[in-house]
């Protein structure tokens, strides 16, 4: 069946996206399935390491164990991985500086470039979150004003011409 985000290809893409998240402008923290700190106890020794050390080396059994662990971990399940294991998120925490419009533009442009570079057949990568949403509002209002304001002025002039023509 479909392994979703626990397939070899998806895990490698998640690892690459997690790494790329650190390179985004203003990034202060990156959280994902692959870099989530996981503790394991062996006797009195407790080790804490990323949940996925090297995505490329995981075999099917290791990916199945990863799925079981991730979906049973409250910090991951329904937050960074969907309950059915079909979707995963890479959460990048940012601290914007300087001009809000310019910094948001730079961040969203960089995130879109990362998402585009990471897209492979069978996987879709999307940019989301509050910064992307705020940017989308600003972007759509600019696009609307470039089209709707001239259209509105044209209609007003046409209406005035019809009403005032003698």
């Amino acid at each position: 069946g479909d392994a979703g985000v626990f397939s070899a290809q998806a895990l490698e893409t998640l690892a690459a996206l997690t790494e790329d998240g650190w390179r985004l402008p203003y990034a202060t923290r990156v959280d994902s399935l692959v870099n989530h700190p996981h503790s394991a106890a062996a006797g009195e020794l407790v080790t804490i390491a990323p949940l996925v050390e090297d995505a490329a080396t995981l075999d099917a059994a290791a990916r199945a164990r990863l799925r079981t662990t991730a979906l049973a971990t409250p910090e991951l399940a329904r937050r960074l991985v969907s309950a059915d294991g079909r979707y995963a998120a890479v959460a990048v925490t940012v601290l914007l500086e300087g001009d809000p419009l310019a910094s948001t533009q730079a961040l969203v442009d960089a995130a879109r470039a990362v998402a585009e570079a990471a897209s492979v057949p069978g996987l879709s990568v999307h940019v989301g979150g509050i910064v992307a949403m705020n940017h989308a509002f600003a972007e759509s209002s600019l696009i609307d004003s470039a089209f709707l304001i001239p259209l509105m002025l044209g209609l007003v002039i046409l209406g005035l011409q019809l009403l005032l023509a003698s």
Side-chain angles (χ1 to χ4, degrees):
D2 182 17
V5 298
F6 299 98
S7 71
Q9 182 183 39
L11 286 172
E12 287 183 43
T13 301
L14 264 177
L17 284 169
T18 302
E19 193 63 37
D20 289 342
W22 286 109
R23 294 188 194 98
L24 290 175
Y26 315 109
T28 59
R29 180 183 171 117
V30 180
D31 294 301
S32 77
L33 166 69
V34 296
N35 75 347
H36 182 75
H38 178 67
S39 57
E44 292 184 18
L45 181 65
V46 176
T47 56
I48 299 174
L51 195 54
V52 177
E53 292 282 359
D54 184 2
T57 63
L58 296 179
D59 60 10
R63 290 194 309 273
R65 284 192 304 275
L66 173 62
R67 178 188 182 97
T68 303
T69 302
L71 296 181
T73 304
E75 298 84 21
L76 290 173
R78 298 177 191 258
R79 288 188 173 93
L80 294 176
V81 180
S82 63
D84 62 3
R86 291 186 58 211
Y87 306 99
V90 176
V92 181
T93 304
V94 295
L95 183 61
L96 297 176
E97 299 168 2
D99 176 30
L101 287 176
S103 57
T104 300
Q105 182 72 50
L107 176 59
V108 171
D109 287 348
R112 286 177 178 164
V114 165
E116 192 174 319
S119 69
V120 290
L123 294 174
S124 58
V125 180
H126 304 279
V127 176
I130 192 74
V131 174
M133 184 184 74
N134 289 341
H135 181 70
F137 284 136
E139 200 172 46
S140 65
S141 68
L142 284 173
I143 292 168
D144 286 351
S145 66
F147 173 73
L148 293 177
I149 290 176
L151 178 67
M152 180 190 69
L153 288 174
L155 289 174
V156 167
I157 291 170
L158 181 68
L160 287 172
Q161 190 173 19
L162 289 172
L163 291 171
L164 300 176
S166 53

